[in-house]
């Protein structure tokens, strides 16, 4: 009787260990993430004015970034305000216009390769329409994917989503 009980406990222990190994979810050993920071030139605007949204990508890896895909879209909260009207009027980098077509894709705007420790900034200028509702907020989310590596078969990649600061659209002061 004792042998059967011991064998049953041994089998349960082996099955438990096998299950733990099969279903274990580990954290990657090197959880590098892109250093993408957002800034705006103002925290509040009025209808008819512009706001600059700047994104700075810093290479925090030990090898150069060789490929970047980045998209920028209004946040869910921004898109739920149909009376908030705005449009992209320009896209520029430190040294040239970036040719942003307004479709949300920015990856070609960064001059590559981007060496370790270097940064590149892309600035989008948005104009709030004169007839836009005030008392609203404007914010963006950006999906960033990039690849880095020193050789043909040493490429790694990383991706994440980032959010811009929220800009208030205030009503212009009333004239007395």
């Amino acid at each position: 009787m004792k042998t059967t009980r011991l064998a049953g406990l041994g089998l349960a222990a082996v099955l438990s260990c096998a299950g733990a190994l099969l279903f274990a979810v580990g954290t990657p050993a090197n959880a590098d993430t892109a250093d993408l920071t957002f800034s705006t030139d103002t925290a509040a605007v009025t209808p008819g004015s512009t706001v600059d949204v700047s994104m700075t990508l810093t290479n925090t890896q030990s090898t150069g970034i060789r490929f970047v895909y980045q998209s920028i879209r209004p946040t869910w909260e921004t898109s739920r305000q149909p009376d908030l009207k705005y449009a992209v009027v320009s896209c520029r980098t430190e040294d040239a216009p970036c040719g942003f077509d307004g479709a949300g894709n920015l990856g070609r705007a960064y001059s590559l390769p981007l060496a370790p420790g270097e940064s590149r900034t892309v600035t989008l200028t948005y104009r709030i329409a004169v007839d836009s509702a005030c008392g609203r907020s404007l914010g963006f989310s950006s999906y960033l994917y990039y690849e880095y590596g020193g050789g043909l078969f040493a490429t790694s990649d990383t991706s994440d989503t980032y959010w811009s600061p929220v800009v208030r659209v205030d009503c212009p002061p009333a004239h007395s």
Side-chain angles (χ1 to χ4, degrees):
M1 195 85 156
K2 289 182 182 181
T3 320
T4 307
R5 177 179 256 176
L6 191 56
L9 287 174
L11 179 60
V14 168
L15 290 175
S16 295
C17 288
L21 289 173
L22 287 174
F23 298 107
V25 177
T27 304
N30 186 5
D32 291 331
T33 58
D35 187 6
L36 183 68
T37 56
F38 274 88
S39 64
T40 58
D41 62 340
T42 184
V45 294
T46 57
S49 60
T50 61
V51 60
D52 287 341
V53 177
S54 295
M55 298 151 287
T56 301
L57 173 63
T58 302
N59 184 354
T60 59
Q61 308 302 327
S62 59
T63 60
I65 292 177
R66 301 177 339 167
F67 173 79
V68 174
Y69 170 80
Q70 181 181 359
S71 64
I72 185 165
R73 306 272 190 253
T75 61
W76 183 84
E77 293 85 2
T78 296
S79 66
R80 302 297 298 165
Q81 303 171 82
D83 51 352
L84 174 62
K85 301 174 188 173
Y86 59 94
V88 176
V89 293
S90 72
C91 178
R92 63 189 182 281
T93 63
E94 289 100 345
D95 53 358
C98 57
F100 180 63
D101 62 4
N105 301 319
L106 285 168
R108 295 183 323 207
Y110 296 102
S111 298
L112 298 176
L114 184 60
E118 284 188 343
S119 297
R120 300 274 194 281
T121 300
V122 172
T123 301
L124 295 171
T125 301
Y126 290 89
R127 179 171 308 282
I128 310 303
V130 175
D131 62 339
S132 178
C134 51
R136 304 293 188 252
S137 57
L138 178 64
F140 298 94
S141 66
S142 179
Y143 171 77
L144 176 69
Y145 168 88
Y146 69 94
E147 295 176 354
Y148 62 94
L152 183 59
F153 297 104
T155 301
S156 297
D157 62 70
T158 187
S159 64
D160 210 344
T161 302
Y162 300 85
W163 287 267
S164 74
V166 174
V167 176
R168 289 184 329 274
V169 179
D170 291 337
C171 297
H175 296 290
S176 31

